[in-house]
Amino acid sequence: MNNLDPIAVFRTEAAEQLELIEAGLLDLTRDLDDKGQIDAVFRGLHTLKGSGSMFGFDQLAAFTHHCETAFDRVRKGEAPATSELIAAVLDAQGHMQALLDQPNGDHDAMSTKLLEQLHRAVGREASSTSHPTTGKPKEAPAEPSRRTWQLDFRLPADSMVNGTNPLGLIDELRDLGECGLSVNSDQLPPLDAMDPTQLYLGWNATIVTDKPRSEIEDVFIFVMDEMVMDLKDVTPASAPVVPETTLAQPAEVHPNEVPSAREEQRTPAADAKSQRQSDNVRVPALRLDEMMDRVGELVIAQSRLSQMAGSVVDLGLRSVSEEIERLAGELRDTMMVLRMMPVASLFSRFRRLVHDLARETGKEIELVTTGETTEVDKTVIDRLADPLVHLVRNSIDHGLELPQDRIASGKPAVGQVVLSAHQTGSEVVITIKDDGRGIDRARVRAKAEANGLIQPGQSLSDQELLQQIFQPGFSTAEKVTNLSGRGVGMDVVKKTIEALRGSIDVKSDEGTGSEIALRIPLTLAIIDGLLVRVGNGNYVIPLSAVEECLELSLEEDLRSRGRSFISLRDDLVPFLRLRELFRTGSQPDPYQKVVVISTGRERVGLVVDQIIGDHQTVIKSMSKLHDQVSSFSGATILGDGNVALILDVAHLIAAGQQQEAQLRAAG
Amino acid sequence: MSANILTVDDSASIRMTTRIALTNAGYNVTEAVDGADGLQKLKSGNFDLIVTDLNMPNMDGLTMIRNLRQLPAYMGTPVIFLTTESDGDIKQQAKAAGATGWLTKPFDADNLTKIARKVLGR
């Protein structure tokens, strides 16, 4: 594991550190007296400074130093925590991110500006605080080459207990040059009064060396402050050095000054939050992906084994095969859990976003998050970040009204954005809900018509109309504001969600707010699927989307020909004949089956030749070459070595809805 | 036999740097992520040198040093703490808690191995 780059690790760690600092600061905005958070922020800043300078991020280290100093004063009770200070450090925190991203950039102007702001907030003039410097003991000016030194020293009595080894120090002295030594035992107490852990001896040394004075002193660098040391240059004019020395003047007993410092140091309370963190092991996601791949291969090999074992009568082989099946299943489940992360990591970044947007827009916003402990595959979390940012921005920019408008319409001045997550079966539903003005349907329609997305007067269901906001190039904002015009459109959001095999539901009540629900599979790596046969090919339908399976008799098939609707408990459900869609060119089985799939509201039946059974499958994503193939979201390898394609449910439902619309339009 | 060193730091990058430096110098390195973790590892292992940060969550370096000095097995075991120039009086506190010496951040591999050799005497 030595091949990992410490600087890369530092960057990741610094980013996390910055997030923690930010979270701490945001908590402080609510409770300025939160001692625990003040300590936590200080610790974060301190660590960031220390390791920043370790890894050559000098600008970051120097800048962070000032914030740390400010917080140190707060921590020690020398300055109050004010909202002004917190705001200043929050701004500084953003700047630290920039210093981290571009350690060699020119940040001086910004740094100076932020530091002024910081110093104003602390109520103190710009810095008497020094930059952290790389402290080397100052070198004495070069001294004439070979000199003789008389050194008398007595180490602190408790120095051996604290790990200082006098013999080691004496060896170091010997390494400097010629060294004559004698022991000074005049402070040795009577035997019965001796404490075996104490050091009672002193030494007298004569050293002849060409090394400077500072090197002799450096030997004692760790004990310098508490020890008694007398170092004299006794280089004789011409006389040779006499190694044997007389006893030095009796060394004074140095009063021990340290006990006052022994008083109990404040121990930061072990809050549950940091406890959790220290229990974790950080593993690069890439390694988990590699491991997932191996587990995938194992599961495939195992299912071949089961198939072979099933076809022979060898009971021993069967029992081994069952054992392997169980183990592979458990391994796969464990693997899945390893990849799961709480969405808290995703949600936490929104506190800052909302805080910044509130300042930018002049709106008052309260962010509520629920279900943070809901866990989702890491890949999903990573890919959800951008769409969520966009949706939250949208809610705030387009949804929430200004405080005065809210009051005028009888709402509280503070608008609310609720981010919530919960799990349903093999899906996680992430909802962004606001209590703003809601989506103006008339305006959506007008805009869609103006952009040629729908025909004037075309009849649309409410959901269809609302889904227009996901069309490329659609925006209901009258002007592109700083917030919304950031290059990501709702169409990109929708694409990203669909690429995750997820779907989006929109609900909106004019005047009272909107709710956008993202339904995402928990993992992208493994799905529970329904294995079906169409013609000669095998396909997997994600089980989470399957509602029910029906039989489609030949007569019914003939009767419905050209109409492609089946009646399902008084409901007409459009269906797609996969045989036709995939152009298998084969004869349909006499008893075809219809698999009804749904995403929330929309339902579509898929006509297949045979339902083989449920199949847990490890998804292999398709190559770039197949990017254009929209009906499939991936492939899997079956026990017999054959490949089965995984059907893309969202796409098929869209196709079904389109077909339904066409048929309706055709009357 | 090469010495066993325990490094205690909440920063993974610093831990990695110290581990690389000390391993290259031929020492056996064990890592702990904070004082509490460090203390636990000290109790279940046998270390010849401890290199620790001071500011850490859960249990800071000072408390850990104080605790380890209560363990008979670690009476006299050298403890080096990592500090920054601005830490000022913290050196005094660490010494009082029972630390042997310190190393000022930023440090490089040479500083660290030199100090390790100095206090280990090998």
Side-chain angles (χ1 to χ4, degrees), chain A residues 42-85:
Chain A
F42 170 78
R43 228 176 20 239
L45 292 167
H46 183 84
T47 303
L48 192 64
K49 178 191 78 171
S51 38
S53 63
M54 281 284 302
F55 297 102
F57 291 74
D58 293 337
Q59 292 197 61
L60 174 66
F63 179 77
T64 309
H65 173 71
H66 292 283
C67 300
E68 181 206 347
T69 311
F71 252 84
D72 196 24
R73 298 188 65 215
V74 175
R75 191 174 68 127
K76 290 180 177 153
E78 294 168 14
T82 58
S83 50
E84 197 192 352
L85 171 68

Side-chain angles (χ1 to χ4, degrees), chain A residues 19-20 31 57 62 110 132 164 175 188-189 248 280 296 300 356-357 385 412 454 481 583 598 620 631 642 661 664:
Chain A
E19 274 175 32
L20 287 178
D31 177 8
F57 291 74
M110 192 61 181
T164 303
D175 289 343
L188 212 56
N280 294 336
I300 289 163
D356 287 352
L357 288 181
I454 55 172
T481 64
R583 301 199 187 96
S598 81
K620 297 276 178 190
S631 308
N642 281 323
R664 282 223 171 99

Side-chain angles (χ1 to χ4, degrees), chain B residues 75-115:
Chain B
M75 178 180 284
T77 305
V79 178
I80 299 295
F81 62 94
L82 304 177
T83 176
T84 61
E85 273 299 294
S86 56
D87 280 340
D89 61 336
I90 203 144
K91 265 187 206 166
Q92 205 51 55
Q93 291 180 30
K95 296 286 289 288
T100 313
W102 64 89
L103 180 57
T104 308
K105 285 190 255 187
F107 59 85
D108 59 27
D110 284 351
N111 296 147
L112 179 64
T113 47
K114 222 162 91 189
I115 302 266

